[in-house]
Amino acid sequence: MKGFIFDLDGVICSTDEYHYEAWKVLAKKLGVSFSRMDNNRQRGVSRMESLEVLLEKSEKLFTEDEKVTLADYKNKIYQSLLNNMGEKDLSYEVKDTLDRLREKGYKLAIGSSSRNAKIILEKIGLDNYFDAVSDGNNITKSKPDPEVFIKAAEYMNIPCEQCYVVEDAKSGVEAAIAGGFKTIAVGDAIKYKIAEYNLNSFQELLKIV
Ligand code: G6P
Ligand code: MG
């Protein structure tokens, strides 16, 4: 194995919680219920698809233009939460594990559906750290389609089957399986037991390699 492709939100840092907070504000404004379970279904999928999950509970129908306005509203709230982030939001465990994988000779990439990935990487001090960043800005289909990971592997010049994908989203593990990657689940994704490895902590990656 030559490379690692990491999801960002909920794997490298806890921005998945900010997504949850921001969607909750929108749900309240629309008067629809919104739970952690709903939020777990938004993991890994694009902003507009995440909005559709939230709108399943709404009796009102929205036009495409109105949906764009709602997604923009959520993104503004999300970005204001990101504003408070800094290097403190990158844990020692994650940074140390990444450094050790690199020392072992692995190439490291990000594979995220987010269009905010670059802002987040800057905030936590990891801009220019990864060998490649594939995110919501360079894909046409989000997870569970494997496109974002295939692009990340291409950018690193490594065949998909020689890369591990690390994911906290069910849709992300499914994407990695579809793309022929070796799959590692952390966080919410471990309960589905569909990944090859299901880890209780990020540093357990070092036990695999
Ligand atoms: C990640 C998150 C999703 C989010 C998507 C788009 O995949 O897991 O919950 O909907 O990115 O994020 P964005 O920052 O572009 O709204
Ligand atoms: Mg994630």
Side-chain angles (χ1 to χ4, degrees):
M1 301 300 285
K2 295 190 171 152
F4 269 90
I5 303 171
F6 298 92
D7 172 53
L8 181 63
D9 301 319
V11 171
I12 297 295
C13 55
S14 301
T15 37
D16 52 332
E17 280 298 308
Y18 295 155
H19 278 296
Y20 175 57
E21 291 303 322
W23 285 121
K24 252 191 348 194
V25 175
L26 177 62
K28 196 165 177 205
K29 181 179 149 92
L30 297 176
V32 298
S33 68
F34 180 69
S35 67
R36 286 262 174 198
M37 260 158 65
D38 299 321
N39 177 240
N40 284 337
R41 289 176 51 219
Q42 295 173 316
R43 289 179 190 273
V45 303
S46 70
R47 193 178 306 163
M48 294 309 288
E49 289 167 295
S50 293
L51 175 67
E52 293 297 342
V53 172
L54 186 144
L55 293 182
E56 280 173 14
K57 303 259 179 73
S58 167
E59 280 165 21
K60 186 175 176 324
L61 292 176
F62 295 90
T63 65
E64 286 311 308
D65 282 354
E66 285 169 335
K67 286 180 186 176
V68 169
T69 305
L70 294 178
D72 284 349
Y73 174 80
K74 178 267 172 178
N75 193 47
K76 293 241 158 56
I77 298 164
Y78 178 62
Q79 286 186 332
S80 70
L81 294 170
L82 295 182
N83 264 334
N84 301 321
M85 284 183 84
E87 293 191 10
K88 62 175 185 346
D89 294 288
L90 175 65
S91 72
Y92 174 81
E93 178 189 354
V94 169
K95 180 62 171 42
D96 182 60
T97 305
L98 292 172
D99 287 344
R100 285 170 190 246
L101 292 172
R102 175 158 282 157
E103 277 163 27
K104 288 176 187 283
Y106 289 97
K107 281 203 172 179
L108 311 177
I110 290 290
S112 164
S113 302
S114 173
R115 305 184 77 171
N116 289 298
K118 290 205 170 66
I119 305 175
I120 297 167
L121 289 172
E122 272 171 32
K123 288 278 182 193
I124 60 177
L126 288 186
D127 46 335
N128 302 319
Y129 179 87
F130 290 94
D131 298 294
V133 175
S134 173
D135 65 22
N137 298 301
N138 63 253
I139 54 171
T140 55
K141 288 165 266 169
S142 83
K143 303 164 190 175
D145 189 281
E147 183 182 9
V148 73
F149 297 136
I150 292 173
K151 290 259 169 70
E154 268 173 25
Y155 297 159
M156 291 194 290
N157 255 316
I158 304 178
C160 299
E161 59 278 9
Q162 289 181 25
C163 295
Y164 292 103
V165 165
V166 186
E167 260 295 346
D168 73 312
K170 182 170 183 259
S171 65
V173 177
E174 288 167 347
I177 293 169
F181 296 86
K182 279 219 176 275
T183 55
I184 303 174
V186 295
D188 186 61
I190 67 176
K191 66 176 184 245
Y192 304 102
K193 300 271 181 271
I194 51 172
E196 203 158 326
Y197 300 93
N198 294 281
L199 307 186
N200 290 312
S201 73
F202 194 86
Q203 65 189 2
E204 283 179 33
L205 285 174
L206 297 168
K207 290 188 188 160
I208 295 177
V209 299

